Amino acid sequence: MGASGTIPHIRREERGGIPLLWIERDDEPRVALVFRVGMFDEPFSRGGITHLVEHLALHVVEDSGPTVNGFVGLDQCGFTARGTTEELVAFLHGVTAALSDLPLDRLGVERGVLEAEESASRPGIVMYLAQCRYGLAPAGRRMLPELGLRSVVAEDLVAWSARHFTKASAVICWLGPEPPPADLALALPAGTAPVVPPAPTPIVPLPFSVTGEEDDIAIALTAPSGMATHVFAEVLQRRLTHTLRTDRGIVYTVDSSLEALTGGVVHLTFSTEASGGMAASVRQTMLDELDRLADDGPSADDVAAAVREVERDFADANGSAFLIDAALALRTGQPIPQPADQHAELQGVDAAAVSQVAWHARETLMVMSPEMIAVPGPPFKSDGDVETHPPVEGRTFLSPGLRASKRSLLTIGDHGLTVRSPGQEDSLTLHWSDVVAVTRERGGDYYFTGISGAWCVVNPRIFRADADAIKALIEQYLDPATLVPAPGAEHIDALEEAAVRDLKKPKDHREALDALAEEMSPGERLHRLFSAITGMKYGLLAVTDRRTLFIYGDAPTDEIPHSLTKRIDVESAKMGQTVVVDSFPEPRRYWGFDHTDEPDALRDLLRQLQDN
C-alpha cells in the first residue's frame, strides 16, 4: 500500500515523554507534530481559537528552512514539515517553543489572514448536509464563520495553548530513513489526558429530507469507519454513475465524499445535478439503488472492482496519513491501526459486509432535492416534523400596541426564553442550555443562536418601561462564554470619535459608518474620514493603516490596498480640487470634500502610508 508496492509498518518509540510513530522510508524526511485538540473542543462562540494558535506558532518557524504547513480538524491540530533531519529537529524545537511563547504581537495580522481565508471559503453540499444533520455541533459547523476570531484575546490564546498543546496530547509522526535523535526533548508542559470525542448526535429524525439549491440532488449517510464502508461507498458511487449517466444519460457525473467525523463515524455524501423535470426521477433512482444494495447486496464483480479502487487510493496515500490516523487512535485509547492490518481487512470485505453497511447506513439517510419536488413519502421526515420546545414558564412581557397582531411577546424563565414576533402565530423557544452564541448588538438587541441553528432577536427597547427588567433577566441567565462581540464592535468608539473630528455632518453618514465598522478587520486602525464624491456617488471615504475604503448606500465597498497604489496627486478643475489615486486596476478620482484643505491632506496621508 506504499508507493513502492510494499506495505509500510508503523513503529512506536518515545522521545522525551512524547510518543513517536515512525515509518521507515528512503525519501526526504517528513514530520508532523500532532495534538489531540480541534474544533470539537471549541465552544461555538470561540470557534477558531485553535486555528489562531496554529497560525501564530507556525509563523515563528515558516522561514526556518524546511517546507512547513499546519492543519486544524475536528479532533486534531498538526504542524508538518519536510527537509533534512537536522531541519526537522529544529522545526520541532521551534514550534514547541512558539506554543509556549506565542508571538501575540501578530494577533491582529493573523486574525485578518484567517478572516480572508474564511471569506474565500463557501460551504458546499457536503457541509450543508452535515449541518442539517448535526446543527451547530462541531461536526456540523465546519465552513461556518469562526466567531472566536472576533472575541478571543491574547490571554485566551495563552490559556488555550497551555491547556491543549501538551505532552499528554502530542504525538510525533516521522517518515524517513532513520528516526529522529534519541535525545530529542521538546519543551511542552506535561498536561492531562485529552478528552475522547464521542460520536456526533443527529438533531433531526432520520431518514430526513431537506431542500437544496436548484438542480442539486444528494443523499447523505453515516456508517462506522472501516474498510467495508470504503468499499460500500465505491460500489454505490459506481452504481449511481452507471445507472444515471451510462444507462439513462440524465446526469453528467455523480460526486462522492467520505469524511471521518469523531467517535469512529464516517459521513458519506453522493451528489449530482439534474435539470428540467428529471430531478424527481434522479432522486428516486438514487434511493432505489441504495435499497437494492442493502436488500440484494452487490455482485462479486462489484466488490472486486471496488476493492481494487480502494486499494489504489491507499497505495497513493502519503505515509503521513497513516501516521496521523494512528496518532489520533493513540490519543483516544484505540489500538494503533497498522497499514498491513487495514490491507488484510480490505481483502476480506465481501458482498455480505457491503450489504450490511448499506442496510445500517440506510437508517441514517438524508436526502436533498430542489424545492419544487415534494418530500419523499414515509418514513421520511422534514422540517415540519422536528420537535420544538413548548413555551417556557417565567415572566412574560408584551410590547405596547392597540392591536394584538402588532405586539411582541417575550417570556424569560429558568429554562430559557420564548419569543413571538408581531404578525406571527407561532412562537420560538430556546433553552439556555441550547444557546451556543449570543451577539449583543450596539443598539441593545440580543441575537440568540441555538444548537439547531434556530435564532431569535430580542429588542428590549420595544417593551419600553420593561426594557431594564428584560436586560437584567437576560444578563442573569446568560452564559458569558456564549457572548460574541457584534461585527465591528471594536471599531465603534474610534469611528464615533473620528466622525465628530473629521466630518462636517456626521449624521449624513450614519449608515456608512455602521457599514464601515463591519467592513474593517480586527486590529485595523483608522487614520481619517472624509466626505467625498466619486463617479457621481456621494459617500464616506476612510483611510486606514491598510487601505482606502469608499462606502456609499448599500452598494459594495470600493477598496484600494495601499500596496496597489502607484501615484497620488491633486488636480484642479471647475468643481474644485480632485484627488487622483492611480491604482490597480484603474484610477479613482475623489472630489466634493467638506473642507478646502482636505484634498492636500488626503494626498499627503496616502503618500505617507504608501511609503511606510
Side-chain angles (χ1 to χ4, degrees):
M1 290 165 61
S4 64
T6 60
I7 300 175
H9 177 73
I10 299 175
R11 307 182 189 187
R12 178 175 175 178
E13 300 181 17
E14 189 174 290
R15 294 292 186 271
I18 300 174
L20 166 69
L21 301 179
W22 170 46
I23 291 178
E24 183 178 357
R25 193 175 72 175
D26 292 328
D27 199 355
E28 182 182 35
R30 300 186 182 198
V31 70
L33 180 61
V34 183
F35 296 87
R36 215 314 286 143
V37 60
M39 287 180 277
F40 167 82
D41 306 276
E42 302 171 343
F44 182 57
S45 58
R46 298 298 180 263
I49 187 170
T50 307
H51 208 171
L52 267 173
V53 170
E54 178 247 325
H55 265 237
L56 289 169
L58 207 57
H59 169 75
V60 175
V61 295
E62 61 187 358
D63 297 325
S64 60
T67 302
V68 304
N69 210 335
F71 66 88
V72 178
L74 279 174
D75 43 22
Q76 286 182 299
C77 174
F79 304 88
T80 67
R82 56 185 176 88
T84 66
T85 296
E86 293 74 17
E87 287 175 331
L88 299 191
V89 169
F91 165 78
L92 291 172
H93 283 299
V95 166
T96 51
L99 289 169
S100 299
D101 185 19
L102 293 170
L104 298 172
D105 57 313
R106 284 194 56 84
L107 177 53
V109 175
E110 295 303 338
R111 281 190 209 266
V113 171
L114 292 182
E115 286 190 330
E117 179 182 333
E118 184 178 281
S119 64
S121 303
R122 294 291 182 269
I125 290 173
V126 174
M127 293 297 101
Y128 172 68
L129 287 169
Q131 186 181 343
C132 291
R133 183 184 296 269
Y134 296 117
L136 299 184
R141 68 176 186 236
R142 290 157 299 163
M143 305 297 289
L144 293 181
E146 294 180 321
L147 298 184
L149 299 182
R150 299 186 201 166
S151 57
V152 297
V153 295
E155 292 78 4
D156 299 326
L157 293 166
V158 171
W160 191 262
S161 184
R163 178 181 174 185
H164 293 286
F165 291 86
T166 66
K167 289 184 177 181
S169 173
V171 178
I172 303 168
C173 301
W174 188 277
L175 287 94
E178 299 288 340
D183 60 353
L184 175 65
L186 302 181
L188 289 172
T192 56
V195 174
V196 177
T201 303
I203 63 168
V204 293
L206 299 171
F208 196 75
S209 176
V210 299
T211 300
E213 298 292 333
E214 183 179 1
D215 297 341
D216 287 337
I217 302 161
I219 60 174
L221 316 101
T222 60
S225 59
M227 290 302 154
T229 295
H230 282 269
V231 175
F232 157 75
E234 182 65 28
V235 169
L236 183 56
Q237 197 269 345
R238 285 167 171 263
R239 283 193 170 194
L240 292 175
T241 300
H242 183 81
T243 302
L244 293 171
R245 174 175 172 145
T246 307
D247 284 356
R248 300 180 59 189
I250 56 176
V251 305
Y252 177 69
T253 186
V254 177
D255 296 320
S256 64
S257 166
L258 186 152
E259 185 178 25
L261 302 181
T262 58
V265 173
V266 172
H267 184 241
L268 304 159
T269 307
F270 305 85
S271 60
T272 188
E273 294 183 3
S275 58
M278 301 306 298
S281 177
V282 169
R283 184 183 71 183
Q284 190 57 50
T285 299
M286 296 176 81
L287 296 176
D288 290 343
E289 287 295 342
L290 176 61
D291 284 339
R292 275 192 284 271
L293 193 55
D295 296 335
D296 304 332
S299 69
D301 289 343
D302 285 339
V303 175
V307 167
R308 286 194 298 271
E309 187 60 33
V310 173
E311 191 168 31
R312 278 193 288 268
D313 290 342
F314 273 79
D316 292 339
N318 188 304
S320 298
F322 294 117
L323 290 172
I324 290 171
D325 287 346
L328 178 62
L330 191 155
R331 284 308 185 195
T332 54
Q334 305 297 316
I336 294 177
Q338 285 289 351
D341 296 335
Q342 293 175 295
H343 184 262
E345 180 188 347
L346 175 61
Q347 299 306 313
V349 174
D350 57 15
V354 174
S355 179
Q356 185 177 28
V357 172
W359 182 271
H360 291 291
R362 184 170 55 178
E363 301 300 314
T364 72
L365 181 61
M366 292 190 73
V367 61
M368 184 188 78
S369 45
E371 187 175 7
M372 62 183 177
I373 303 177
V375 174
F380 279 92
K381 307 290 194 304
S382 61
D383 286 339
D385 301 303
V386 177
E387 293 185 6
T388 57
H389 295 305
V392 298
E393 295 182 357
R395 186 171 174 184
T396 297
F397 305 90
L398 276 172
S399 63
L402 297 176
R403 297 173 59 185
S405 62
K406 298 294 185 182
R407 304 180 74 183
S408 294
L409 175 145
L410 172 64
T411 302
I412 303 176
D414 292 339
H415 296 294
L417 73 165
T418 297
V419 179
R420 188 190 69 208
S421 301
Q424 294 183 342
E425 295 183 4
D426 298 329
S427 59
L428 173 68
T429 296
L430 287 178
H431 283 178
W432 298 119
S433 58
D434 291 336
V435 173
V436 293
V438 182
T439 302
R440 193 160 44 197
E441 303 287 348
R442 296 193 303 277
D445 297 359
Y446 292 86
Y447 188 108
F448 293 86
T449 303
I451 186 68
S452 68
W455 58 272
C456 66
V457 179
V458 176
N459 179 358
R461 292 167 298 166
I462 68 172
F463 296 91
R464 297 186 183 176
D466 293 320
D468 289 340
I470 290 171
K471 290 180 185 177
L473 278 173
I474 290 176
E475 297 291 337
Q476 173 187 334
Y477 289 111
L478 197 59
D479 180 357
T482 64
L483 276 174
V484 180
E490 71 171 273
H491 301 293
I492 294 303
D493 290 343
L495 286 176
E496 296 291 347
E497 292 176 7
V500 172
R501 181 194 68 207
D502 299 335
L503 302 177
K504 188 174 183 180
K505 296 181 179 180
K507 290 183 178 180
D508 290 354
H509 297 288
R510 186 71 268 160
E511 291 184 6
L513 286 166
D514 290 342
L516 178 59
E518 297 187 18
E519 176 73 27
M520 290 176 65
S521 302
E524 188 170 9
R525 188 160 58 91
L526 176 71
H527 283 287
R528 186 158 176 182
L529 298 171
F530 301 86
S531 296
I533 299 172
T534 183
M536 302 312 294
K537 301 181 184 73
Y538 173 68
L540 180 67
L541 186 67
V543 180
T544 78
D545 58 338
R546 304 177 189 177
R547 54 193 171 153
T548 302
L549 299 161
F550 185 78
I551 300 176
Y552 50 96
D554 57 359
T557 301
D558 284 344
E559 174 186 356
I560 310 175
H562 297 322
S563 59
L564 298 182
T565 298
K566 306 173 186 175
R567 180 179 62 90
I568 310 107
D569 211 345
V570 175
E571 299 176 352
S572 295
K574 293 181 179 179
M575 63 191 73
Q577 286 188 309
T578 300
V579 177
V580 180
V581 181
D582 187 5
S583 64
F584 179 85
E586 59 186 16
R588 315 291 215 287
R589 307 174 72 87
Y590 302 104
W591 64 89
F593 296 94
D594 279 347
H595 306 286
T596 55
D597 63 338
E598 286 187 339
D600 292 327
L602 174 58
R603 177 198 58 198
D604 295 341
L605 176 58
L606 291 176
R607 285 178 176 174
Q608 177 185 351
L609 293 169
Q610 185 185 30
D611 291 340
N612 293 337

